[in-house]
């Protein structure tokens, strides 16, 4: 009897701390954000007036928000494609372990994983400096990377690629090493060259990881904030204003929490859509063992 | 991570033994199951669909000492295109040539191209003919690796170099790469301008607290999910994982307002408590617990051990590797936090490192040497920590797969 009573309560005791935190800082704010998105707030963030979907209507009819969504999409694409290509090259280079060389490469390739967006922004800032930065010097160009409307997004994306390529590399190299050597051997015996082996064998075999990495990079870049705030503040104009940055501006500079909450909900829905799409694709198209 | 392999895909249907990617870190990590002799089937029976965020890449296994190098491009006379046989799933085949390394591999259930009968001969031919080629390829590969590695590290090295330069040298044209007139003056200036050691101390306190709290809350929750039976177990587990779907940025405003209204703004509590648990962490530890044989608990119960006692005295000690992985991840991501501490702190007493150093940037125009020196003071500890604990970090990433 005693034992069974104890068993009744024990699980909830073990779960309580984690769920208390979830309730306070995930579930509650999530619901509150949804509620707040349907209201107008005062500058202190108190909900004053219920307005239904008006915040959303305002958002989607404002040219600024539509441009923000476009910039966000462009930014994600500008980040994940190069990240994937570079990550794959790095992974192929270190796939085969050969002692200290590959260990050293692994360390160097994954180094940016330890770097915060704020620190990255600081070291990259000088690289971009138009007058005495190394980038213009090496390329022989005269581009004002962070202040030119045509280049600012590209520059911020470059920093983001650098920040994310380490993660991508780690996932890809782990997957590549998981490919059975026997598979490659047999293919080689059948006359395949490295190029064919990569496209016809390794790539299909690691396709689950590949898909994962694409979505991982998209979600990660979607949430970029530090580098944008510190390098361009969303400018020039709105050329680098991504969703998270506009959300931040709306809440903490314009003090329009209702509208900012609506943006949060849009952000959540986009992430949800991406995730569901990912699950869908994985079920269908990816080659699993 | 061992047990994860089994649930990722079909790899270990049946008795497939989970394998561990060697060097890439998982090895030391969570290989405990072998140490405590878990039957392979126990691990293979993990069947759970996790939300997208937490997908785990591939069937990691070690290429071991494969005799044919992947890069040898030896022309062979066989006309058959390689791809044509792939994928032919020959379940159960091909165990023969598993490298006799200590790590087990899930060979049996991975598709293996139909083997040509002349396998042995072919391998030998490649080995003889491709040796010179191999060496050349290897040298080329090492060179390219070094170049890319240098490129990746370049921004950091450049920042380090600038932190040692005088401002005149930084602004010189053509740009100087090395500090010719090396000086530590920038570092002294940082110390004079902002309470950098205070920031570092704050960040250490916050990171370590977040880490310890996460270890506690996550391992407790994971214990309930694995070792205890109760109503609503499945629902609660899904509810926990659902928090992964709610991006931090989507709740940050509401959290900010709540914390401010509670009068907790600009306190350590506000910096720590919201991150005191993590669904990824729960998932990570749960995966490990599932590899622990249930008999262990039964035996403990027979010996008169309660749940709490079993958890603290027996389970936690053998969980050290997975807890370590989670700890490293928690510390680095907390150290690197930017947006939340930016919103929630506003006095130097409570600022954390990333905010502290970006304050330098906005102080009086931009003094590059100064800013970079501050940045290095913050970056060097985290990079050192990362290099030392890289394997653990990778380990938690591969299993948890969600940042933050």
């Amino acid at each position: 009897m005693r034992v069974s009573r104890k068993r009744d309560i024990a699980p909830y005791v073990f779960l309580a701390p984690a769920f208390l935190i979830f309730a306070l800082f995930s579930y509650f704010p999530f619901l509150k954000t949804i509620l707040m998105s349907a209201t107008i707030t005062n500058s202190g963030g108190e909900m004053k007036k219920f307005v239904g979907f008006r915040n959303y209507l305002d958002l989607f009819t404002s040219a600024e928000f539509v441009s923000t969504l476009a910039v966000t999409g462009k930014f994600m694409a500008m980040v994940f494609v190069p990240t994937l290509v570079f990550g794959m090259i790095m992974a192929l280079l270190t796939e085969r372990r050969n002692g200290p060389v590959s260990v050293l490469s692994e360390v160097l390739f994954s180094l940016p994983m330890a770097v915060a967006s704020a620190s990255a922004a600081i070291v990259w800032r000088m690289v971009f400096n138009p007058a005495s930065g190394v980038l213009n010097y090496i390329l022989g160009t005269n581009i004002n990377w962070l202040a030119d409307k045509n280049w600012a997004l590209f520059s911020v994306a470059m920093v983001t690629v650098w920040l994310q390529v380490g993660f991508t590399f780690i996932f890809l190299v782990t997957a590549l090493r998981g490919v059975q050597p026997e598979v490659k051997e047999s293919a080689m015996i059948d006359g395949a060259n490295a190029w064919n082996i990569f496209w016809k064998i390794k790539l299909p075999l690691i396709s689950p990881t590949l898909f994962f990495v694409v979505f991982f990079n998209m979600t990660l870049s979607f949430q970029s904030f530090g580098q944008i705030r510190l390098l361009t503040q969303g400018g020039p104009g709105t050329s680098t204003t991504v969703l998270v940055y506009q959300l931040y501006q709306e809440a903490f500079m314009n003090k329009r929490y209702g509208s900012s909450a609506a943006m949060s909900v849009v952000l959540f829905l986009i992430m949800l859509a991406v995730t569901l799409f990912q699950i869908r694709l994985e079920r269908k198209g990816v080659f699993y063992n | 991570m061992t047990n994860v392999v089994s649930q990722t895909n079909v790899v270990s249907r049946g008795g497939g033994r989970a394998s561990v990617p060697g060097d890439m870190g998982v090895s030391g990590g969570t290989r405990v199951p072998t140490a405590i002799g878990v039957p392979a089937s126990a691990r293979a029976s993990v069947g759970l669909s996790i939300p997208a965020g937490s997908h785990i890449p591939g069937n990691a296994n070690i290429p071991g000492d494969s005799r044919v190098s992947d890069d040898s491009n030896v022309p062979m006379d066989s006309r058959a295109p390689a791809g044509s046989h792939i994928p032919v799933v020959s379940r159960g085949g091909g165990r023969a040539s598993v490298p006799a390394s200590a790590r087990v591999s899930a060979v049996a259930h991975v598709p293996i191209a139909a083997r040509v009968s002349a396998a042995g001969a072919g391998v030998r031919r490649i080995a003889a003919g491709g040796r010179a080629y191999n060496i050349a390829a290897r040298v080329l590969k090492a060179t390219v690796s070094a170049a890319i590695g240098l490129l990746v590290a370049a921004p950091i090295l450049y920042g380090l170099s600038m932190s040692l330069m005088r401002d005149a040298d930084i602004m010189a044209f053509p740009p100087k790469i090395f500090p010719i007139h090396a000086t530590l003056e920038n570092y002294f200036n940082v110390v004079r301008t902002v309470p950098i050691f205070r920031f570092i101390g704050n960040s250490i306190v916050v990171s370590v607290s977040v880490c310890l709290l996460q270890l506690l809350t996550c391992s407790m929750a994971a214990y309930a999910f694995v070792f205890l039976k109760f109503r609503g177990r499945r629902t609660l587990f899904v509810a926990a994982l659902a928090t992964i779907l709610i991006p931090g940025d989507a709740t940050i405003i509401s959290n900010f307002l709540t914390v401010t209204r509670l009068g907790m703004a600009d306190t350590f509590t506000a910096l720590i408590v919201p991150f005191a648990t993590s669904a990824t962490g729960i998932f990570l530890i749960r995966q490990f617990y599932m590899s622990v044989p249930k008999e262990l608990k039964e035996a403990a119960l027979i010996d008169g051990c309660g749940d709490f006692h079993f958890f603290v005295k027996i389970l936690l000690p053998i969980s050290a590797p997975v807890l370590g992985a989670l700890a490293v991840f928690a510390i680095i991501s907390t150290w690197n936090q930017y947006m939340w501490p930016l919103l929630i702190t506003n006095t130097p007493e409570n600022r954390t490192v990333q905010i502290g150093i970006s304050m330098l940037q906005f102080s009086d125009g931009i003094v590059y040497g100064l800013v970079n020196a501050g940045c290095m003071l913050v970056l060097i500890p985290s990079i050192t920590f990362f290099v030392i604990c890289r394997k653990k970090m990778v380990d938690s990433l591969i299993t948890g797969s969600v940042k933050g």
Side-chain angles (χ1 to χ4, degrees):
Chain A
M1 275 297 112
R2 206 178 58 90
V3 173
S4 79
R5 200 185 313 133
K6 214 163 137 197
R7 220 177 253 162
D8 282 339
I9 176 171
Y12 304 103
V13 173
F14 276 96
L15 289 174
F19 275 87
L20 193 69
I21 304 291
F22 283 147
L24 276 174
F25 298 103
S26 264
Y27 305 139
F28 168 70
F30 179 63
L31 296 175
K32 191 180 159 191
T33 302
I34 293 175
L35 186 65
M36 200 157 66
S37 74
T39 62
I40 290 179
T41 58
N42 65 9
S43 62
E46 286 165 49
M47 291 179 249
K48 285 295 173 197
K49 194 175 151 211
F50 185 80
V51 294
F53 285 99
R54 215 183 83 192
N55 284 328
Y56 293 95
L57 279 178
D58 287 350
L59 279 187
F60 285 101
T61 48
S62 89
E64 205 192 338
F65 186 69
V66 174
S67 128
T68 295
L69 289 181
V71 170
T72 309
K74 223 158 81 180
F75 178 71
M76 281 160 76
M78 279 165 112
V79 171
F80 94 80
V81 176
T83 308
L84 208 61
V85 172
F86 284 117
M88 183 60 88
I89 293 172
M90 292 170 177
L92 287 170
L93 282 169
T94 39
E95 179 193 0
R96 222 172 103 81
R97 290 198 188 78
N98 49 349
V101 177
S102 61
V103 172
L104 188 67
S105 318
E106 270 169 37
V107 171
L108 285 177
F109 293 170
S110 54
L111 211 54
M113 277 167 70
V115 181
S117 58
S119 310
I122 288 170
V123 289
W124 276 86
R125 191 172 189 103
M126 191 62 208
V127 175
F128 288 129
N129 185 297
S132 47
V134 277
L135 197 57
N136 270 341
Y137 180 71
I138 292 170
L139 299 177
T141 48
N142 188 19
I143 298 169
N144 199 342
W145 296 97
L146 298 171
D148 185 326
K149 220 167 63 199
N150 301 315
W151 289 102
L153 191 65
F154 174 82
S155 310
V156 179
M158 197 147 97
V159 178
T160 313
V161 168
W162 183 74
L163 278 167
Q164 295 184 11
V165 77
F167 291 99
T168 306
F169 158 71
I170 290 292
F171 286 126
L172 290 179
V173 79
T174 310
L176 280 177
R177 285 175 180 173
V179 175
Q180 296 296 311
E182 290 82 357
V183 183
K184 287 178 272 186
E185 278 170 33
S186 334
M188 220 146 20
I189 290 154
D190 287 353
N193 57 29
W195 182 254
N196 281 334
I197 290 181
F198 173 71
W199 286 104
K200 300 257 172 70
I201 296 172
K202 289 181 189 170
L203 220 49
L205 278 173
I206 67 164
S207 58
T209 306
L210 218 53
F211 267 81
F212 166 73
V213 164
V214 169
F215 286 100
F216 181 78
N217 274 305
M218 284 169 79
T219 37
L220 213 59
S221 61
F222 192 53
Q223 298 174 53
S224 300
F225 175 75
Q227 63 271 46
I228 291 173
R229 180 170 185 273
L230 290 171
L231 287 176
T232 62
Q233 287 93 50
T238 55
S239 61
T240 56
T241 304
V242 294
L243 187 52
V244 173
Y245 192 75
Q246 203 192 350
L247 184 156
Y248 161 82
Q249 272 185 321
E250 191 76 350
F252 301 104
M253 291 173 183
N254 306 338
K255 301 282 179 199
R256 282 162 44 183
Y257 294 102
S259 147
S260 162
M263 287 181 199
S264 304
V265 174
V266 173
L267 184 141
F268 165 74
L269 290 176
I270 293 176
M271 291 278 279
L272 190 69
V274 168
T275 310
L276 293 179
F277 184 61
Q278 173 191 11
I279 292 173
R280 190 102 196 243
L281 268 183
E282 267 180 4
R283 289 230 177 101
K284 260 204 215 157
V286 182
F287 169 74
Y288 275 100
N289 303 317
Chain B
M1 173 180 260
T2 38
N3 31 12
V4 172
V5 175
S6 39
Q7 63 84 34
T8 325
N9 38 39
V10 210
V11 173
S12 46
R13 193 180 292 166
R17 273 173 261 154
S19 64
V20 183
D23 229 44
M24 272 325 300
V26 187
S27 55
T30 353
R31 218 142 33 96
V32 183
T34 22
I36 51 173
V38 189
S41 54
R43 266 168 285 147
S45 61
V46 186
L48 153 97
S49 61
I50 351 143
S54 12
H55 173 75
I56 293 93
N59 39 317
N61 143 285
I62 307 96
D65 50 342
S66 69
R67 282 123 300 171
V68 191
S69 83
D70 350 319
D71 43 304
S72 69
N73 197 356
V74 189
M76 304 261 308
D77 23 18
S78 157
R79 218 55 69 69
S84 60
H85 293 303
I86 313 286
V88 177
V89 181
S90 72
R91 215 168 266 169
R95 201 184 270 261
S97 55
V98 189
S101 81
R103 302 145 189 145
V104 263
S105 54
V107 177
H109 303 276
V110 177
I112 289 178
R115 278 161 176 276
V116 266
S117 55
V123 171
R124 246 172 275 128
R125 208 177 329 147
I126 292 166
R131 185 149 300 155
Y133 181 89
N134 264 347
I135 293 169
R138 215 176 260 194
V139 170
L140 183 72
K141 219 158 130 180
T143 318
V144 177
S145 298
I148 295 185
L150 208 63
L151 205 64
V152 172
I156 300 171
L157 297 175
Y158 186 48
L160 181 67
S161 170
M162 276 189 292
S163 74
L164 298 167
M165 283 187 208
R166 303 179 309 189
D167 272 325
D169 287 336
I170 294 176
M171 300 313 286
F173 192 88
K176 292 191 165 59
I177 304 293
F178 300 105
I180 308 158
H181 315 281
T183 165
L184 284 176
E185 213 191 302
N186 290 322
Y187 287 88
F188 293 123
N189 278 335
V190 170
V191 177
R192 256 177 263 146
T193 318
V194 293
I196 187 81
F197 294 112
R198 172 90 203 201
F199 298 153
I200 292 177
N202 288 349
S203 268
I204 292 175
V205 171
V206 172
S207 305
V208 172
S209 310
V210 166
C211 165
L212 292 177
L213 283 169
Q214 276 196 15
L215 292 183
L216 184 75
T217 59
C218 294
S219 57
M220 280 173 75
Y223 180 82
F225 286 130
V226 176
F227 288 100
L228 301 174
K229 292 226 181 313
F230 57 95
R231 280 182 60 190
R233 180 163 78 158
R234 210 173 166 77
T235 316
L236 282 175
F237 184 61
V238 172
L241 287 187
T243 60
I244 294 177
L245 288 176
I246 306 175
D249 297 310
T251 51
I252 201 160
I253 291 157
S254 169
N255 274 334
F256 168 79
L257 294 173
T258 312
V259 166
T260 313
R261 203 156 303 151
L262 291 175
M264 281 176 10
D266 207 23
T267 60
F268 276 16
T269 318
L271 288 170
I272 295 166
V273 177
F275 306 95
T277 194
S278 112
T280 317
I282 294 176
F283 178 73
L284 196 75
I285 298 175
R286 175 182 174 271
Q287 289 303 106
F288 173 79
Y289 284 174
M290 288 171 69
S291 72
V292 175
K294 294 276 181 291
E295 295 80 31
L296 197 64
K297 193 192 168 192
E298 279 158 27
L301 288 182
I302 290 166
D303 288 348
C305 215
D307 273 316
F308 185 73
H309 201 225
F310 169 69
F311 174 68
V312 174
K313 288 278 167 64
I314 298 170
L315 199 57
L316 282 188
I318 61 170
S319 321
V322 70
L323 296 181
L326 180 60
V328 173
F329 196 73
I331 285 181
I332 290 196
S333 47
T334 312
W335 184 270
N336 285 348
Q337 263 179 4
Y338 181 72
M339 195 170 179
W340 181 249
L342 174 76
L343 299 178
I344 213 70
T345 61
N346 47 39
T347 53
E349 284 72 42
N350 293 317
R351 292 255 194 237
T352 53
V353 283
Q354 303 301 339
I355 315 303
I357 55 167
S358 32
M359 271 164 60
L360 286 171
Q361 196 174 15
F362 287 118
S363 55
D364 259 333
I366 290 166
V367 194
Y368 285 107
L370 179 78
V371 178
N372 276 291
C375 187
M376 287 306 129
L377 284 176
V378 167
L379 202 51
I380 289 167
S382 70
I383 284 187
T384 315
F385 185 70
F386 171 75
V387 171
I388 295 169
C389 306
R390 190 176 55 93
K391 293 188 173 188
K392 286 274 166 214
M393 173 104 176
V394 170
D395 195 358
S396 65
L397 248 188
I398 297 293
T399 319
S401 301
V402 185
K403 199 191 178 192

